Amino acid sequence: MHTRTKRSFGYQWLRYRVSDNEENRQHFYRRTGTQPSTLPGQLFFEAGCGMGRYLKVIGEQPGAEVVGLDLSLAVNRARAENRSNPRVHLIQGNILELPLRPECFDHVYSIGVLHHTPSTEEAFKSIVKLVKPGGRVSIWVYHLWGPPGQRGFKALHARLRGRVSDTLRLLTTRLPHPVLHYLCYVAAPLGWIQMRIRKLPAPLRLLLLPLTLLPVSPHPEWRVRLCDTFDWYSPRYQWKHSVEEAAGWFEDAGLADISTTGFAVSVRGRKPAPDEQSEGHPGDCPDPDPQILHFPREAAQAWGAVDRSSDQLIGDVGVHGNPIYRVPGVEPGIERGRKRILNAFGCDADDDRPSTDQ
Ligand SMILES: C[S@@+](CC[C@H](N)C(=O)[O-])C[C@H]1O[C@@H](n2cnc3c(N)ncnc32)[C@H](O)[C@@H]1O
């Protein structure tokens, strides 16, 4: 069920080396509703960390700690990006079968991920369990075609683009990744052309309408356009939601202070603390449990990152201090592919032997 998703994102994040630290910071702080000053002392969990760009933003703040989990070999790149930082921890595993104990994290977030699982709502329910009482949850998922409340020609145009995209995806989600990569390469300039067309007067825009019906990333940097276009057409699952629907998941989970401001669909909320009614301190997260900040082995065990059947720490491979905890069976081909991938990221593959005595 997850094979295409895993391979697709593994291919994407190991192939496209795109990342702009300043842009990443802006996205992270906006979508999680946090500020650099609020991060120290907090333990974060990122569901679907990809190549680890947001882990890096958290890792920059002294005292802030983060666990990133991803299904794909993108975790190898996340490690390479964050390997000098002992406060960034990685797990290769599935959001729908989290190998972690509930209620351990101060802030659980997921940016552009839950809609790529078989069920966005089930994935949300799974990650909400991880947040401590008083802690926060932030998600960003794809919106239905067209911005909220849009009417008239613009709404019709958005729906048409949706039809074109959905029809094309019937094919593109089945193509071999290198083939799709080259198709996206050819399509990427169209994103730039579409941006120009948007600035033209209405009659010209109408004339050039056919050129605007194929969704292609409009990012100003062409490598990011290529990566984002691949990201759009390759993954098997790509659900879209309304703001109301996503806010409903937060309500059903009993979260408070629900906010839906920002680029749709962006939702943030807080798990009420048990004594909140009497105390009333919205925003005060409990102090991090000192026990779980002793990484790697002690912390991983405290989080429950163990193979449940044998109660052993799940296979970890350490490169310069950042181990990846792989849920057994999640990456059966890892032994074969590891050396090549690590070399690709400039890691010393010989340092990457499974360790038993760390
Ligand atoms: C579009 S990327 C976003 C990555 C990261 N949040 C970012 O914005 O840079 C989606 C990520 O979700 C991961 N993913 C998809 N389904 C998953 C699942 N069931 N469990 C864990 N990760 C998953 C993919 O492997 C991929 O790296």
Side-chain angles (χ1 to χ4, degrees), residues 121-343:
E121 186 175 1
E122 288 308 313
F124 174 75
K125 285 183 186 161
S126 182
I127 65 167
V128 161
K129 290 184 193 145
L130 297 184
V131 73
K132 284 177 179 176
R136 295 180 172 276
V137 183
S138 320
I139 63 165
W140 180 78
V141 292
Y142 286 155
H143 190 264
L144 298 170
W145 281 98
Q150 198 173 56
R151 302 242 181 288
F153 179 76
K154 283 192 173 165
L156 181 68
H157 183 244
R159 273 208 296 278
L160 271 175
R161 271 166 72 85
R163 281 285 163 84
V164 171
S165 170
D166 291 347
T167 312
L168 272 178
R169 276 180 44 82
L170 292 175
L171 172 71
T172 59
T173 52
R174 289 170 170 82
L175 286 177
H177 296 126
V179 174
L180 183 59
H181 161 76
Y182 287 109
L183 288 176
C184 293
Y185 204 93
V186 174
L190 194 59
W192 182 85
I193 295 170
Q194 289 176 352
M195 284 305 283
R196 293 287 173 285
I197 293 177
R198 257 180 237 177
K199 290 178 186 149
L200 295 175
L204 272 177
R205 281 209 309 267
L206 205 57
L207 197 69
L208 297 170
L209 183 81
L211 281 180
T212 63
L213 290 181
L214 179 75
V216 177
S217 161
H219 199 280
E221 223 270 274
W222 82 268
R223 280 173 209 279
V224 183
R225 256 195 334 263
L226 176 60
C227 174
D228 288 355
T229 305
F230 183 92
D231 180 277
W232 186 259
Y233 286 104
S234 181
R236 175 168 173 195
Y237 302 105
Q238 191 201 62
W239 308 112
K240 301 182 191 69
H241 304 279
S242 66
V243 174
E244 295 72 24
E245 183 186 10
W249 305 330
F250 277 65
E251 277 167 27
D252 293 347
L255 299 184
D257 299 342
I258 300 169
S259 150
T260 56
T261 53
F263 188 53
V265 174
S266 210
V267 192
R268 294 165 297 280
R270 188 174 52 80
K271 190 181 261 185
D275 58 350
E276 185 163 297
Q277 268 84 351
S278 49
E279 292 293 310
H281 283 309
D284 275 3
C285 294
D287 288 340
D289 179 345
Q291 264 198 331
I292 57 177
L293 295 176
H294 298 131
F295 202 77
R297 185 168 289 265
E298 295 79 359
Q301 280 167 346
W303 299 330
V306 291
D307 175 356
R308 286 184 208 148
S309 52
S310 65
D311 208 32
Q312 294 296 306
L313 194 65
I314 56 184
D316 57 282
V317 284
V319 170
H320 306 308
N322 277 40
I324 295 179
Y325 295 88
R326 292 187 204 278
V327 174
V330 73
E331 197 56 67
I334 187 68
E335 287 305 324
R336 202 161 27 86
R338 197 170 57 201
K339 193 157 184 152
R340 184 176 52 80
I341 288 159
L342 291 174
N343 283 337

Side-chain angles (χ1 to χ4, degrees), residues 2 5-6 9-10 12-13 46-54 69-72 74 93-96 110-118 142 231:
H2 299 286
T5 305
K6 192 161 61 178
F9 285 108
Q12 175 179 330
W13 291 125
E46 176 165 4
C49 60
M51 50 78 86
R53 53 185 161 182
Y54 301 124
L69 172 136
D70 201 279
L71 188 64
S72 73
N94 187 348
I95 290 171
L96 295 166
S110 184
I111 302 177
V113 174
L114 305 183
H115 48 238
H116 290 308
T117 66
Y142 286 155
D231 180 277

